[in-house]
């Protein structure tokens, strides 16, 4: 099947596949984290935004308990399941995301009927833009309406987290789904990962004459597993030695004293988290007072901190950042968990072409895979389309 982006096209495809019109079409976006990396599990701050790339689901409620799931991506065929017998070992492939959401709703006592579901997404897979949460958020948003569950956004966030953690088996936090469910056009979502409170912060790139380029290095972050676990362990060790509940409780002013108490490696891990939290707060302030053109130096500092202190960058990400900056971007950093994935470059509209060409050329000269470079705009959160 080819990917289609018109709502009526998707409904027509649904009709062709399942023999009936859908009850509705819902969508939820992927996300980019503007700043605040590896701060979430330290009970700190993150600043993601919803992007103009979305997963869409057309759904029809069935009279029985059968689930039929189909995606326009690839040629994966139809998957069938039954709402009355979902267990954490049921799912394989992409269907674990919608099935996980149904399962997590059931864990909360919500009765979910049988469904026919067609997924169509233009969020690139595995590029660090959270294509998986886009699916989960589109599904929870739709099912919240279709089942009459009437969950608030905060609760939908927790349902998708339970789906990811316990059904899919990925130890993820609340950032991605918070951006996807709570994002708004021209805004980023300032999220406090301690109390899970969220606030929209103006982040309007176009009116500032800027574009946000995503440079997908195509380097898989599959090596992330061990690296992620060891970074978490360092943060826990740091918090324990410093006698705080989480690194959120350490201030930049405490770092000098901390350096005497921690071994060098743990100290550098701690310093990244502590300064990154501070950078998120400064970014939020600057976006409110001066707009996006002012945050470039914070993006640059964030990248250096991840490269040198947290050590989660890779040569492709460093090159993307370096070449973007040398060719007109006003700030750039790797985004996401690290060890691959994408970098972002905040770029004046007039310099966009030059950055694209220079990065592609540098990648080619370095013998790296051709990166995928595209723009994203801060866009709306989950919604019903028809
Ligand atoms: P990320 O969320 O960073 O994009 P993940 O590995 O968490 O990366 O999720 C990617 C997975 O999501 C894919 O392996 C696939 O199973 C699923 N997926 C995403 N988009 C689609 C789609 N349009 N159709 C089918 N599966 C998809
Ligand atoms: Mg994911």
């Amino acid at each position: 099947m080819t990917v289609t982006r018109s709502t009526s096209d998707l409904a027509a495809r649904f009709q062709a596949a399942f023999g009936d019109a859908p009850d509705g079409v819902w969508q939820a976006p992927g996300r980019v984290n503007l700043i605040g990396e590896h701060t979430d599990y330290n009970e700190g701050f993150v600043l993601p935004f919803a992007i103009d790339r979305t997963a869409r689901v057309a759904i029809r409620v069935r009279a029985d308990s059968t689930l039929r799931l189909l995606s326009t991506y690839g040629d994966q065929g139809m998957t069938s399941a039954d709402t009355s017998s979902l267990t954490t070992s049921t799912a394989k492939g992409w269907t674990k995301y919608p099935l996980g959401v149904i399962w997590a709703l059931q864990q909360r006592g919500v009765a979910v009927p049988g469904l026919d579901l067609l997924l169509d997404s233009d969020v690139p897979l595995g590029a660090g833009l959270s294509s998986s949460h886009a699916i989960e958020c589109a599904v929870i948003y739709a099912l919240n309406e279709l089942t009459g569950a009437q969950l608030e956004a905060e609760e939908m966030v927790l349902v998708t987290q339970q789906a990811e953690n316990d059904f899919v088996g990925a130890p993820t936090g609340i950032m991605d789904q918070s951006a996807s469910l709570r994002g708004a056009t021209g805004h980023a979502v300032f999220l406090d990962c301690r109390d899970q409170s969220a606030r929209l912060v103006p982040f309007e790139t176009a009116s500032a004459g800027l574009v946000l380029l995503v440079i997908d290095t195509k380097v898989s972050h599959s090596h992330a597993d061990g690296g992620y676990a060891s970074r978490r362990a360092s943060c826990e060790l740091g918090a324990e030695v410093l006698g705080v509940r989480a690194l959120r409780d350490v201030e930049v002013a405490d770092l000098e004293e901390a350096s005497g108490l921690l071994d060098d490696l743990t100290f550098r891990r701690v310093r990244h988290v502590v300064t990154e939290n501070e950078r998120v707060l400064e970014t939020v302030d600057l976006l409110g007072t001066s707009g996006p053109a002012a945050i470039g130096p914070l993006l640059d500092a964030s990248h250096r901190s991840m490269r040198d202190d947290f050590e989660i960058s890779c040569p492709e990400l460093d090159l993307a950042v370096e070449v973007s900056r040398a060719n007109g971007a006003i700030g750039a950093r790797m985004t996401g968990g690290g060890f691959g994935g994408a970098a972002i470059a905040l770029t004046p509209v007039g310099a966009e072409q030059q950055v694209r060409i220079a990065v592609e050329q540098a990648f080619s000269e370095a013998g790296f895979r051709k990166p995928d470079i595209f723009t994203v705009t801060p866009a709306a959160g989950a919604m019903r389309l028809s």
Side-chain angles (χ1 to χ4, degrees), residues 86-136:
L86 292 182
T87 60
T88 51
S89 57
T90 317
K92 51 177 178 38
W94 72 275
T95 61
K96 57 184 182 267
Y97 302 109
L99 294 178
V101 169
I102 294 169
W103 175 84
L105 271 175
Q106 290 173 337
Q107 302 306 301
R108 296 183 165 234
V110 177
V112 181
L115 306 165
D116 290 335
L117 181 154
L118 176 62
L119 164 72
D120 176 54
S121 175
D122 68 356
V123 185
L125 280 67
L129 304 186
S130 218
S131 65
S132 62
H133 279 100
I135 301 172
E136 290 164 338

Side-chain angles (χ1 to χ4, degrees), residues 144-212:
N144 196 36
E145 286 189 23
L146 291 170
T147 63
Q150 293 195 310
L151 302 176
E152 299 292 333
E154 293 90 318
E155 293 170 279
M156 288 195 271
V157 164
L158 296 178
V159 171
T160 55
Q161 187 186 20
Q162 191 183 6
E164 278 260 333
N165 292 170
D166 300 340
F167 197 88
V168 175
T172 50
I174 58 161
M175 167 164 69
D176 301 354
Q177 58 276 59
S178 296
S180 184
L181 290 164
R182 307 176 79 169
T185 306
H187 289 81
V189 181
F190 173 44
L191 187 67
D192 181 335
C193 298
R194 171 161 276 171
D195 66 8
Q196 310 203 344
S197 60
R199 175 160 71 82
L200 290 174
V201 175
F203 179 51
E204 177 74 70
T205 44
S207 61
L210 297 167
V211 289
L212 203 106

Side-chain angles (χ1 to χ4, degrees), residues 100-325:
V101 169
I102 294 169
W103 175 84
L105 271 175
Q106 290 173 337
Q107 302 306 301
R108 296 183 165 234
V110 177
V112 181
L115 306 165
D116 290 335
L117 181 154
L118 176 62
L119 164 72
D120 176 54
S121 175
D122 68 356
V123 185
L125 280 67
L129 304 186
S130 218
S131 65
S132 62
H133 279 100
I135 301 172
E136 290 164 338
C137 291
V139 172
I140 186 66
Y141 201 85
L143 293 186
N144 196 36
E145 286 189 23
L146 291 170
T147 63
Q150 293 195 310
L151 302 176
E152 299 292 333
E154 293 90 318
E155 293 170 279
M156 288 195 271
V157 164
L158 296 178
V159 171
T160 55
Q161 187 186 20
Q162 191 183 6
E164 278 260 333
N165 292 170
D166 300 340
F167 197 88
V168 175
T172 50
I174 58 161
M175 167 164 69
D176 301 354
Q177 58 276 59
S178 296
S180 184
L181 290 164
R182 307 176 79 169
T185 306
H187 289 81
V189 181
F190 173 44
L191 187 67
D192 181 335
C193 298
R194 171 161 276 171
D195 66 8
Q196 310 203 344
S197 60
R199 175 160 71 82
L200 290 174
V201 175
F203 179 51
E204 177 74 70
T205 44
S207 61
L210 297 167
V211 289
L212 203 106
L213 283 170
V214 173
I215 302 159
D216 176 7
T217 64
K218 303 287 188 71
V219 177
S220 132
H221 40 104
S222 62
H223 301 301
D225 298 354
Y228 180 84
S230 80
R231 297 311 180 278
R232 277 191 85 134
S234 288
C235 292
E236 278 161 28
L237 174 64
E240 195 187 312
V241 173
L242 298 175
V244 291
R245 170 173 145 178
L247 292 183
R248 150 72 172 272
D249 300 309
V250 182
E251 308 278 335
V252 172
D254 302 329
L255 282 173
E256 202 181 319
E257 194 190 336
S259 74
L261 300 170
L262 300 168
D263 66 86
D264 175 63
L265 184 84
T266 310
F267 174 68
R268 286 188 294 114
R269 305 299 190 242
V270 167
R271 182 166 61 187
H272 165 70
V273 173
V274 173
T275 57
E276 184 79 351
N277 271 327
E278 186 65 21
R279 282 186 288 271
V280 176
L281 297 176
E282 283 177 30
T283 304
V284 168
D285 277 353
L286 278 178
L287 286 174
T289 54
S290 313
I295 68 169
L298 290 165
L299 302 181
D300 294 340
S302 173
H303 186 76
R304 285 194 300 270
S305 180
M306 287 186 284
R307 184 190 63 196
D308 302 337
D309 273 354
F310 220 59
E311 296 180 281
I312 52 172
S313 190
C314 63
E316 292 84 351
L317 286 168
D318 289 341
L319 188 66
V321 164
E322 219 173 274
V323 174
S324 301
R325 286 290 280 110

